[in-house]
Amino acid sequence: MTAVRPAELIAVTNIGDEHQSPSFEKCIKCTVCTVYCPVAKANPEYPGPKQCGPDGERLRLKSPEFFDDVLKLCTNCKRCETACPSGVRIGDIIAVARREHGRKSLSLTTARDYVLSHTDLFGSLATPFAPVINKLTEQSVVKKVMHHTIQVHDHKSLPKYSHGTFRAWYKKHVPDQSKYRRQVSYFHGCYVNYNDHSVGQNFIRVMNAMNIGVQLLEREKCCGVPLIANGFHSKAQKNAKLNVEHLEKA
């Protein structure tokens, strides 16, 4: 059984590589990245990927003083890179700039960033108590407290946790997959594992209906997107290397 090495897992191991080509030079200033950016649409304070990425990088190369804290609003969703006709790695440019120049002083918001980005750690702690945590975080009083302390807007709802993990469900409920002629390795990710098992369950049903067995990786960690978005690059690199290692073994 052969597993494909996802480009995003490999790319994250090279973020910040000093030998990386300055892809911002390929930017043609078409601004299509900003058109596709969900943050620029929702938050007028964020000038968009073009200005924060290629345009800003030219200035930051002259002086770190040109670093702007609005870069922290980027969620590293990579839509800008998908939309870019020139193949500029805009999300990576912004992520590297945040790592090189961003300031991480201790505060309630940095604690928030740590909690929300370390999905494996806090997901494993939360899933056993999912009903209680879900009920608690939907209370208006709790939302207002989070709004005024850690700046999670009280109009927003945090993702709900599932009771238990998808991996535990798979081991307990999924019938023997080796009976199927073809096999696929499934990198389910954090959201399926901790938040919504139905996505993974439906995937297995569809694959089995096509006479394809579904095998989980022996081990997997968070893909690293939330870690990179919040500036925890070293942890993201460790996760990526572990994931690639187990994808190659699959």
Side-chain angles (χ1 to χ4, degrees):
M1 182 166 53
T2 302
V4 177
R5 296 175 63 177
E8 62 270 21
L9 291 181
I10 300 170
V12 76
T13 64
N14 297 322
I15 284 182
D17 189 334
E18 62 183 358
H19 302 298
Q20 181 177 314
S21 173
S23 67
F24 67 85
E25 294 291 0
K26 296 186 291 184
C27 173
I28 59 174
K29 300 184 181 296
C30 65
T31 70
V32 70
C33 57
T34 301
V35 172
Y36 280 86
C37 176
V39 179
K41 287 182 181 179
N43 192 337
E45 293 183 5
Y46 187 62
K50 183 180 79 72
Q51 186 169 330
C52 291
D55 288 356
E57 188 65 12
R58 292 183 176 92
L59 296 173
R60 291 187 291 269
L61 286 174
K62 296 178 180 179
S63 172
E65 293 179 357
F66 287 108
F67 176 80
D68 193 332
D69 280 339
V70 297
L71 268 69
K72 67 184 179 182
L73 298 176
C74 171
T75 62
N76 197 40
C77 69
K78 302 285 189 179
R79 290 188 185 182
C80 53
E81 295 186 3
T82 302
C84 179
S86 302
V88 180
R89 292 168 59 179
I90 308 166
D92 287 355
I93 291 171
I94 294 173
V96 170
R98 290 173 60 177
R99 186 188 70 176
E100 297 296 327
H101 307 297
R103 295 177 295 277
K104 276 279 184 183
S105 57
L106 290 176
S107 66
L108 288 173
T109 54
T110 54
R112 171 205 64 195
D113 294 344
Y114 187 90
V115 170
L116 295 180
S117 61
H118 287 69
T119 52
D120 286 317
L121 173 60
F122 289 95
S124 60
L125 293 174
T127 50
F129 312 101
V132 176
I133 292 175
N134 293 340
K135 191 68 176 177
L136 187 65
T137 55
E138 69 183 15
Q139 300 302 311
S140 59
V141 174
V142 175
K143 286 187 174 184
K144 288 188 180 298
V145 170
M146 291 193 295
H147 179 97
H148 292 291
T149 55
I150 61 175
Q151 298 178 25
V152 173
H153 203 286
D154 56 6
H155 289 172
K156 299 293 183 180
S157 297
L158 292 176
K160 303 300 181 186
Y161 284 104
S162 291
H163 193 209
T165 65
F166 173 75
R167 294 184 74 88
W169 173 88
Y170 177 93
K171 292 177 181 178
K172 186 175 181 180
H173 297 287
V174 174
D176 182 19
Q177 296 292 295
S178 61
K179 64 182 180 182
Y180 295 100
R181 184 172 60 86
R182 292 182 294 168
Q183 298 288 318
V184 63
S185 294
Y186 181 33
F187 183 91
H188 52 71
C190 300
Y191 189 76
V192 170
N193 200 33
Y194 303 117
N195 300 98
D196 191 352
H197 299 171
S198 67
V199 176
Q201 292 165 353
N202 290 333
F203 175 76
I204 293 173
R205 291 190 187 101
V206 171
M207 291 295 103
N208 287 175
M210 296 190 294
N211 199 31
I212 300 174
V214 178
Q215 304 291 342
L216 302 189
L217 303 183
E218 182 182 346
R219 287 185 64 195
E220 72 170 71
K221 292 285 188 179
C222 168
C223 68
V225 170
L227 291 165
I228 295 171
N230 288 284
F232 300 100
H233 288 212
S234 296
K235 177 62 176 173
Q237 289 175 328
K238 290 179 181 178
N239 284 8
K241 290 175 181 177
L242 182 142
N243 289 334
V244 170
E245 176 186 340
H246 285 280
L247 281 166
E248 289 178 330
K249 289 180 180 179

